[in-house]
Amino acid sequence: MQLDRVDLKLLELLQHDGRATVQSLSDAVHLSARATLNRVRKLEAQGQIEGYRALVHRAVLGEQICVFAEIALKDQRQSVVQRFEKRMAGTPEVVACYVISGRYDYIARIACPHLDHYHRLINEWLDDAALGIEKIVTNIELQTIKEFAGFPLPPAKSRGK
């Protein structure tokens, strides 16, 4: 689907405030409220907008640590990869996991109430031979400088229409 200037502006606005009213969106894109609502519904129906969520402030959860774990697998057989990825997807503490290039196969962002919890978690993974983990390198997040759940959109001049 080709996105025009209005669609991109709506996506930009909704990435920053998923609860923006149709009226505020329509004011920003200079369309009627009905036309704006139709555009947003079309973006949702076509999968351009995957959903909406509330971002919970980490302080509400009490003390938490966030860890970036670089993970290497022993082999790349599809059965091992699928088992590992299923485990990551099903572990609540794993808030993000990516296949990466380079020395490691995956990087996972893991949120735990304390370091002991993290150690127990990764020891369970390492002890489970079926997961095929060769090595985990831990990088503890010391401070968050920027965190944004969206994606950068093309600049206005290259948006067309």
Side-chain angles (χ1 to χ4, degrees), residues 67-68 88 92-98 107-111:
V67 172
F68 292 90
M88 293 302 103
E93 293 90 345
V94 176
V95 296
C97 186
Y98 306 95
I107 189 163
R109 186 172 187 208
I110 302 167

Side-chain angles (χ1 to χ4, degrees), residues 63-137:
E63 288 296 316
Q64 289 259 316
I65 63 157
C66 269
V67 172
F68 292 90
E70 297 169 297
I71 304 167
L73 299 182
K74 292 175 185 171
D75 67 59
Q76 301 300 315
R77 286 180 298 175
Q78 195 60 29
S79 60
V80 174
V81 167
Q82 287 176 348
R83 205 170 15 257
F84 173 81
E85 290 179 1
K86 184 177 180 181
R87 182 71 160 278
M88 293 302 103
T91 302
E93 293 90 345
V94 176
V95 296
C97 186
Y98 306 95
V99 176
I100 58 172
S101 63
R103 186 177 300 172
Y104 297 92
D105 301 307
Y106 297 89
I107 189 163
R109 186 172 187 208
I110 302 167
C112 294
H114 46 76
L115 200 52
D116 286 340
H117 183 101
Y118 173 71
H119 281 149
R120 282 193 305 273
L121 184 69
I122 65 166
N123 284 333
E124 285 175 21
W125 295 347
L126 290 166
D127 289 343
D128 186 346
L131 292 179
I133 296 174
E134 178 181 337
K135 183 177 184 179
I136 298 176
V137 174

Side-chain angles (χ1 to χ4, degrees), residues 45-66:
Q46 294 178 335
Q48 304 298 324
I49 297 173
E50 293 181 345
Y52 301 90
R53 69 182 129 243
L55 300 175
V56 177
H57 195 285
R58 282 171 49 184
V60 171
L61 306 173
E63 288 296 316
Q64 289 259 316
I65 63 157
C66 269

